[in-house]
mmCIF file of all heavy atoms in Angstrom:
data_model
loop_
_atom_site.group_PDB
_atom_site.id
_atom_site.type_symbol
_atom_site.label_atom_id
_atom_site.label_comp_id
_atom_site.label_asym_id
_atom_site.label_seq_id
_atom_site.Cartn_x
_atom_site.Cartn_y
_atom_site.Cartn_z
ATOM 1 N N LEU B 90 -69.522 11.954 -20.319
ATOM 2 C CA LEU B 90 -69.815 10.547 -20.613
ATOM 3 C C LEU B 90 -69.566 10.262 -22.092
ATOM 4 O O LEU B 90 -68.944 9.257 -22.454
ATOM 5 C CB LEU B 90 -71.274 10.244 -20.252
ATOM 6 C CG LEU B 90 -71.621 8.768 -20.206
ATOM 7 C CD1 LEU B 90 -70.970 8.121 -19.005
ATOM 8 C CD2 LEU B 90 -73.128 8.593 -20.150
ATOM 9 N N CYS B 91 -70.033 11.174 -22.949
ATOM 10 C CA CYS B 91 -69.838 11.007 -24.392
ATOM 11 C C CYS B 91 -68.354 11.071 -24.740
ATOM 12 O O CYS B 91 -67.871 10.308 -25.587
ATOM 13 C CB CYS B 91 -70.592 12.086 -25.162
ATOM 14 S SG CYS B 91 -72.295 11.640 -25.452
ATOM 15 N N ALA B 92 -67.623 11.973 -24.106
ATOM 16 C CA ALA B 92 -66.189 12.083 -24.369
ATOM 17 C C ALA B 92 -65.497 10.766 -24.003
ATOM 18 O O ALA B 92 -64.626 10.279 -24.724
ATOM 19 C CB ALA B 92 -65.602 13.227 -23.571
ATOM 20 N N LEU B 93 -65.940 10.172 -22.895
ATOM 21 C CA LEU B 93 -65.359 8.900 -22.455
ATOM 22 C C LEU B 93 -65.644 7.800 -23.485
ATOM 23 O O LEU B 93 -64.749 7.038 -23.860
ATOM 24 C CB LEU B 93 -65.951 8.524 -21.098
ATOM 25 C CG LEU B 93 -65.176 7.459 -20.353
ATOM 26 C CD1 LEU B 93 -63.951 8.071 -19.708
ATOM 27 C CD2 LEU B 93 -66.053 6.812 -19.302
ATOM 28 N N LEU B 94 -66.914 7.738 -23.950
ATOM 29 C CA LEU B 94 -67.276 6.736 -24.949
ATOM 30 C C LEU B 94 -66.481 6.947 -26.230
ATOM 31 O O LEU B 94 -66.086 5.977 -26.884
ATOM 32 C CB LEU B 94 -68.771 6.824 -25.253
ATOM 33 C CG LEU B 94 -69.675 6.242 -24.170
ATOM 34 C CD1 LEU B 94 -71.132 6.497 -24.499
ATOM 35 C CD2 LEU B 94 -69.439 4.751 -24.034
ATOM 36 N N SER B 95 -66.222 8.205 -26.562
ATOM 37 C CA SER B 95 -65.433 8.495 -27.746
ATOM 38 C C SER B 95 -64.018 7.937 -27.599
ATOM 39 O O SER B 95 -63.472 7.327 -28.520
ATOM 40 C CB SER B 95 -65.395 9.996 -27.959
ATOM 41 O OG SER B 95 -64.292 10.357 -28.730
ATOM 42 N N LEU B 96 -63.457 8.123 -26.396
ATOM 43 C CA LEU B 96 -62.111 7.583 -26.133
ATOM 44 C C LEU B 96 -62.106 6.069 -26.276
ATOM 45 O O LEU B 96 -61.193 5.488 -26.869
ATOM 46 C CB LEU B 96 -61.661 7.967 -24.723
ATOM 47 C CG LEU B 96 -61.000 9.331 -24.581
ATOM 48 C CD1 LEU B 96 -60.571 9.558 -23.148
ATOM 49 C CD2 LEU B 96 -59.783 9.413 -25.505
ATOM 50 N N VAL B 97 -63.152 5.419 -25.718
ATOM 51 C CA VAL B 97 -63.241 3.951 -25.793
ATOM 52 C C VAL B 97 -63.308 3.506 -27.248
ATOM 53 O O VAL B 97 -62.578 2.608 -27.678
ATOM 54 C CB VAL B 97 -64.479 3.438 -25.010
ATOM 55 C CG1 VAL B 97 -64.706 1.962 -25.274
ATOM 56 C CG2 VAL B 97 -64.300 3.680 -23.522
ATOM 57 N N SER B 98 -64.167 4.167 -28.052
ATOM 58 C CA SER B 98 -64.292 3.788 -29.469
ATOM 59 C C SER B 98 -62.977 3.983 -30.197
ATOM 60 O O SER B 98 -62.577 3.159 -31.016
ATOM 61 C CB SER B 98 -65.354 4.619 -30.179
ATOM 62 O OG SER B 98 -66.416 4.900 -29.342
ATOM 63 N N PHE B 99 -62.315 5.086 -29.880
ATOM 64 C CA PHE B 99 -61.042 5.362 -30.531
ATOM 65 C C PHE B 99 -60.027 4.271 -30.186
ATOM 66 O O PHE B 99 -59.326 3.759 -31.057
ATOM 67 C CB PHE B 99 -60.516 6.731 -30.107
ATOM 68 C CG PHE B 99 -59.242 7.100 -30.799
ATOM 69 C CD1 PHE B 99 -59.265 7.481 -32.134
ATOM 70 C CD2 PHE B 99 -58.029 7.037 -30.138
ATOM 71 C CE1 PHE B 99 -58.093 7.801 -32.792
ATOM 72 C CE2 PHE B 99 -56.848 7.353 -30.802
ATOM 73 C CZ PHE B 99 -56.888 7.741 -32.124
ATOM 74 N N PHE B 100 -60.001 3.875 -28.906
ATOM 75 C CA PHE B 100 -59.068 2.838 -28.466
ATOM 76 C C PHE B 100 -59.356 1.521 -29.178
ATOM 77 O O PHE B 100 -58.444 0.843 -29.643
ATOM 78 C CB PHE B 100 -59.184 2.660 -26.949
ATOM 79 C CG PHE B 100 -58.198 1.683 -26.398
ATOM 80 C CD1 PHE B 100 -56.872 2.042 -26.229
ATOM 81 C CD2 PHE B 100 -58.588 0.395 -26.069
ATOM 82 C CE1 PHE B 100 -55.961 1.137 -25.734
ATOM 83 C CE2 PHE B 100 -57.683 -0.514 -25.571
ATOM 84 C CZ PHE B 100 -56.361 -0.131 -25.400
ATOM 85 N N VAL B 101 -60.655 1.173 -29.294
ATOM 86 C CA VAL B 101 -61.036 -0.079 -29.952
ATOM 87 C C VAL B 101 -60.561 -0.075 -31.400
ATOM 88 O O VAL B 101 -59.968 -1.043 -31.877
ATOM 89 C CB VAL B 101 -62.571 -0.285 -29.880
ATOM 90 C CG1 VAL B 101 -63.013 -1.364 -30.839
ATOM 91 C CG2 VAL B 101 -62.970 -0.650 -28.459
ATOM 92 N N SER B 102 -60.786 1.056 -32.103
ATOM 93 C CA SER B 102 -60.396 1.082 -33.509
ATOM 94 C C SER B 102 -58.877 1.057 -33.649
ATOM 95 O O SER B 102 -58.334 0.488 -34.579
ATOM 96 C CB SER B 102 -60.968 2.312 -34.199
ATOM 97 O OG SER B 102 -60.271 3.454 -33.768
ATOM 98 N N TRP B 103 -58.202 1.642 -32.669
ATOM 99 C CA TRP B 103 -56.741 1.701 -32.729
ATOM 100 C C TRP B 103 -56.133 0.322 -32.465
ATOM 101 O O TRP B 103 -55.109 -0.041 -33.025
ATOM 102 C CB TRP B 103 -56.250 2.716 -31.691
ATOM 103 C CG TRP B 103 -54.759 2.815 -31.592
ATOM 104 C CD1 TRP B 103 -53.891 3.016 -32.626
ATOM 105 C CD2 TRP B 103 -53.986 2.717 -30.408
ATOM 106 N NE1 TRP B 103 -52.608 3.054 -32.149
ATOM 107 C CE2 TRP B 103 -52.643 2.867 -30.790
ATOM 108 C CE3 TRP B 103 -54.290 2.518 -29.074
ATOM 109 C CZ2 TRP B 103 -51.616 2.817 -29.867
ATOM 110 C CZ3 TRP B 103 -53.271 2.472 -28.164
ATOM 111 C CH2 TRP B 103 -51.945 2.621 -28.562
#
Side-chain angles (χ1 to χ4, degrees):
Chain B
L90 193 71
C91 275
L93 196 78
L94 285 174
S95 158
L96 274 182
V97 171
S98 324
F99 183 74
F100 184 77
V101 166
S102 73
W103 177 52

